[in-house]
């Protein structure tokens, strides 16, 4: 049987990285896709683990060669998911998570309607701003750009199959687990 595809999106700073890390620790048989990006690595990020960090030219070449299942520009950088990796993983019967932004999520859902889309919602925009500033990984211009993207993303997120509010991380984790448990019991 083929694996199931799950797409998780949420605004920058909503805490989806932490949530996913905890979730994957509890679900080691689910894989997280590694995207290609033209963004520069943050401190501590490793090529081939967090992302495949690529040049703009290489990224554009992959687009021309139709290698991406989806790709999008987000906050001044390009991000994309390789088709070959997704196909191979699902054909091997392994469930896969794509942690991508909303434009890419829409592209995948159009191509693969059986994919389950989950949007991680912030409790409100004030909390989102506090968290984005609190992690000290972006400069002010980048923070402003990401906050600017947030309202549009939240609107788009309302059309996802599921919304999980990340107010309390343990509650969010339980809700996420329940979604996976029920979807993995459905044969498609
Ligand atoms: P960050 O720069 O904070 O790592 O990621 C910025 C945004 O890009 C996040 O919303 C993240 O989910 C999204 N993203 C990461 N990889 C991909 C990808 O392969 N495709 C798309 N469309 N978005 C991605």
């Amino acid at each position: 049987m083929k694996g199931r595809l799950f797409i998780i999106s949420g605004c920058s700073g909503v805490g989806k990285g932490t949530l996913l890390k905890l979730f994957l620790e509890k679900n080691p048989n689910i894989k997280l896709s590694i995207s290609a990006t033209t963004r520069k690595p943050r401190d501590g990020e490793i090529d081939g683990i967090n992302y495949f960090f690529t040049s703009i030219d290489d990224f554009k070449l992959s687009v021309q060669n139709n290698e991406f299942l989806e790709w999008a520009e987000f906050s001044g950088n390009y991000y994309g998911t390789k088709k070959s990796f997704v196909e191979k993983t699902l054909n091997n019967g392994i469930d896969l998570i794509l942690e991508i932004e909303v434009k890419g999520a829409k592209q995948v859902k159009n191509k693969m309607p059986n994919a389950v889309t989950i949007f991680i919602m912030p409790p409100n925009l004030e909390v989102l701003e506090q968290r984005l500033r609190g992690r000290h990984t972006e400069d002010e211009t980048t923070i402003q750009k990401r906050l600017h993207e947030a309202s549009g993303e939240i609107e788009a997120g309302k059309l996802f199959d599921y919304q999980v509010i990340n107010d309390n991380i343990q509650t969010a984790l339980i809700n996420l687990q329940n979604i996976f448990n029920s979807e993995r019991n459905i044969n498609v």
Side-chain angles (χ1 to χ4, degrees):
M1 221 165 60
K2 277 182 97 176
R4 300 280 326 256
L5 185 62
F6 294 86
I7 304 171
I8 298 192
S9 300
C11 323
S12 199
V14 76
K16 55 188 186 302
T18 313
L19 193 60
L20 269 177
K21 188 172 172 281
L22 294 172
F23 179 79
L24 290 166
E25 278 168 13
K26 290 197 174 158
N27 297 271
N29 51 352
I30 302 178
K31 223 174 174 162
L32 178 66
S33 168
I34 305 169
S35 301
T37 184
T38 60
R39 166 167 81 59
K40 298 279 163 287
R42 294 183 187 126
D43 277 354
E45 283 186 330
I46 299 167
D47 187 42
I49 293 186
N50 303 94
Y51 279 107
F52 293 107
F53 295 101
T54 53
S55 66
I56 294 179
D57 284 349
D58 282 350
F59 194 96
K60 286 187 173 165
L61 202 62
S62 295
V63 172
Q64 274 171 21
N65 292 337
N66 200 21
E67 290 172 24
F68 288 120
L69 172 63
E70 64 74 35
W71 67 273
E73 199 211 329
F74 177 84
S75 203
N77 297 299
Y78 294 113
Y79 296 83
T81 308
K82 286 280 169 79
K83 218 186 275 181
S84 55
F85 179 80
V86 173
E87 282 167 1
K88 207 164 82 187
T89 309
L90 297 180
N91 286 338
N92 284 337
I94 298 167
D95 292 342
L96 180 66
I97 296 176
L98 307 183
E99 192 258 274
I100 62 179
E101 54 68 66
V102 293
K103 298 185 288 287
K106 226 184 259 176
Q107 295 173 45
V108 180
K109 186 73 176 176
N110 285 338
K111 289 181 190 168
M112 305 169 80
N114 286 336
V116 179
T117 53
I118 305 166
F119 191 83
I120 313 295
M121 286 279 178
N124 55 54
L125 284 174
E126 289 72 35
V127 170
L128 188 72
E129 180 165 359
Q130 277 166 23
R131 289 187 189 162
L132 199 49
R133 290 189 185 286
R135 70 185 194 188
H136 302 296
T137 50
E138 272 84 19
D139 59 27
E140 184 57 29
T141 317
T142 310
I143 289 173
Q144 289 302 337
K145 267 195 205 165
R146 287 178 175 229
L147 285 172
H148 183 72
E149 302 259 7
S151 336
E153 288 178 304
I154 290 171
E155 280 310 304
K158 291 180 184 165
L159 301 175
F160 277 45
D161 296 324
Y162 297 95
Q163 290 79 28
V164 171
I165 299 172
N166 190 16
D167 193 355
N168 173 292
I169 186 127
Q170 289 310 328
T171 312
L173 203 53
I174 292 168
N175 290 337
L176 195 59
Q177 189 71 61
N178 288 341
I179 294 169
F180 272 75
N181 292 350
S182 62
E183 288 290 344
R184 290 173 101 196
N185 283 330
I186 301 170
N187 293 330
V188 285

